[in-house]
Amino acid sequence: MKNNMKIGTTYRSHIERSRNVFVQCSSVGDSSTALRMTKGTINKILIYARFIICLMGGITLNTQAFAQKIITETFEEASGKGLYPIGKVNTPLGTWTFDGALVTANEPTDFRPKAPRMLASSTPDEPAGSITSDFDIPNLKSVKVGFIGFKADPGYFQIEVSVSRDKGKTWESLGTSRGRYDKAAETFATFQVKDEGKKQSYRLRISNDSAPRLTRFNRINLTLVEIEYGK
């Protein structure tokens, strides 16, 4: 994003400077000197325009994830993580920390391949499995989460969504959502950011807030994380 802004500013400054020169040259008259300067200025504008057009082709690909107001993360293109202990997972959107969570393409009990699986907590006082963004989301407005529990696991299952404005030092819960009791289909829940109008940047955490079990086997698959943000 910073590269986009820098390039755009440079381009505008070149165009503005060239335009001023063009106006000054035009006001002098039809002298050969003025004409040469005018042609040179036009050539410079064309060169800058071609350069920016070519460059923007590459920039659009690199910043496409944050070029729109709604971003969808399914983790289907995520790097694999086959164990529950804390570790990093890379996706096209950025890097996430998986703690008590994994993502794998070859686990038949998951709702679908590459649907992150999170464990419940072992007791009410222990942390539950979670995934946390290692990147900041500008002016986050809402988060929509799709999830489903494992049919073999007893007890209720639900998720909690939290946000941090200080890069993960402190967290504020946006609420919880309990999934379908029969676990026959996904549940979708949307969480609104309470102070989204203050133009803050947020990190995002999604936790398995299901009924605690000593085995931690109140497992949840995440199927969708949809992030809405604005300027």
Side-chain angles (χ1 to χ4, degrees), residues 26 29 41 64 82 84 98 220 222:
S26 299
T41 300
Q64 189 174 10
Y84 285 112
F98 276 46
I220 282 179
L222 292 180

Side-chain angles (χ1 to χ4, degrees), residues 14-185:
H14 284 314
I15 293 298
E16 184 64 24
R17 185 162 59 249
S18 300
R19 186 187 67 81
N20 291 338
V21 174
F22 180 86
V23 171
Q24 292 171 5
C25 291
S26 299
S27 64
V28 172
D30 292 332
S31 67
S32 59
T33 301
L35 288 173
R36 283 196 300 272
M37 292 180 68
T38 301
K39 290 178 181 178
T41 300
I42 293 173
N43 287 335
K44 287 181 180 179
I45 292 174
L46 292 175
I47 291 171
Y48 285 131
R50 292 191 192 103
F51 173 75
I52 294 301
I53 290 170
C54 292
L55 195 57
M56 287 302 291
I59 290 172
T60 300
L61 293 175
N62 293 335
T63 61
Q64 189 174 10
F66 281 99
Q68 49 193 340
K69 292 185 178 180
I70 295 180
I71 313 165
T72 300
E73 178 64 84
T74 63
F75 296 93
E76 291 175 279
E77 298 181 44
S79 59
K81 179 179 180 290
L83 300 173
Y84 285 112
I86 191 168
K88 303 294 184 180
V89 170
N90 296 314
T91 75
L93 188 59
T95 302
W96 300 72
T97 296
F98 276 46
D99 190 1
L102 55 77
V103 57
T104 177
N106 54 9
E107 176 51 63
T109 57
D110 285 331
F111 179 76
R112 64 159 171 80
K114 303 303 279 287
R117 189 192 327 157
M118 303 187 303
L119 295 174
S121 60
S122 56
T123 69
D125 298 324
E126 294 297 320
S130 65
I131 67 167
T132 304
S133 70
D134 291 347
F135 51 88
D136 293 319
I137 304 163
N139 194 19
L140 179 63
K141 292 185 175 182
S142 67
V143 181
K144 180 180 178 181
V145 181
F147 60 103
I148 187 170
F150 280 59
K151 288 186 177 181
D153 296 349
Y156 70 85
F157 72 100
Q158 66 182 19
I159 60 165
E160 180 178 26
V161 174
S162 305
V163 292
S164 172
R165 289 174 285 183
D166 52 13
K167 299 187 182 299
K169 295 178 182 177
T170 59
W171 293 90
E172 175 186 356
S173 176
L174 299 184
T176 62
S177 177
R178 189 166 295 194
R180 287 175 54 126
Y181 72 92
D182 59 1
K183 305 172 188 177

